[in-house]
Amino acid sequence: MATQSNDKTADVVVRGDARSFKQEIVAGKHHLIADEPVSAGGSDAGPNPYDSLLTSLGVCTSMTVGLYARRKQIPLENITVSLRHSRIYAKDCEECETEEGMLDRIEAEVELTGALSEEQRDKLMEIAAKCPVHRTLTSEINIRLSPAQKSSSA
């Protein structure tokens, strides 16, 4: 089992000041902004955290389906993934194991265009549910928070 040491360079770094919700994100050579909408006290300079989560799932789903279609030479032309996040009562979810309280629901609608047979369309939808981010979100997740090591520079 691989473990992550504290001296490993982070994959993503998020920085913000305590006066606002606006966050600067550095992911490799890419620089992004996240924020909250004005209605939540932000300046709406970028997507909120849940929109970023949905973006990750949507991008991964689309990339995974596209890759599979290219490898199998399926005549897929375009993929559109539309996502929504909500909180629902567990008792209203027939397919969920949790029976009490609230739980998160992500609804993802996948539109596939091209001259696809019903069999190809069904297989691509099956593959959509196997993207790595989907698998991560539906598996046990272990998040370890730790304080940053104090810098010795003055």
Side-chain angles (χ1 to χ4, degrees):
M1 181 170 76
T3 58
Q4 189 174 20
S5 66
N6 287 339
D7 59 348
K8 181 184 177 288
T9 303
D11 295 327
V12 174
V13 176
V14 179
R15 289 187 183 91
D17 64 52
R19 295 181 300 275
S20 73
F21 286 116
K22 185 177 174 184
Q23 304 292 307
E24 295 178 12
I25 305 158
V26 178
K29 66 180 182 178
H30 305 286
H31 295 261
L32 310 163
I33 299 290
D35 203 350
E36 287 286 352
V38 173
S39 62
S43 60
D44 204 20
N48 70 43
Y50 277 104
D51 287 345
S52 295
L53 179 70
L54 294 178
T55 298
S56 296
L57 177 58
V59 166
C60 187
T61 301
S62 184
M63 287 179 169
T64 300
V65 169
L67 175 64
Y68 183 86
R70 287 190 301 277
R71 284 186 175 168
K72 298 296 184 178
Q73 298 182 328
I74 295 173
L76 177 64
E77 293 176 10
N78 292 295
I79 309 142
T80 302
V81 184
S82 303
L83 302 107
R84 286 171 295 293
H85 170 262
S86 60
R87 301 267 301 152
I88 63 168
Y89 288 102
K91 66 182 179 185
D92 294 334
C93 182
E94 294 176 12
E95 70 272 15
C96 298
E97 292 178 24
T98 303
E99 296 178 5
E100 295 180 15
M102 300 288 288
L103 54 88
D104 290 279
R105 170 173 280 168
I106 295 175
E107 295 178 59
E109 180 180 283
V110 181
E111 180 183 350
L112 306 171
T113 61
L116 304 170
S117 69
E118 200 60 37
E119 182 180 312
Q120 289 170 325
R121 193 172 298 280
D122 291 346
K123 184 63 178 179
L124 291 173
M125 289 301 295
E126 178 186 323
I127 295 301
K130 293 181 179 181
C131 88
V133 172
H134 185 119
R135 288 180 181 207
T136 297
L137 291 172
T138 56
S139 69
E140 180 177 349
I141 300 175
N142 177 269
I143 299 173
R144 294 179 176 180
L145 294 176
S146 62
Q149 301 297 316
K150 292 186 179 181
S151 173
S152 58
S153 62

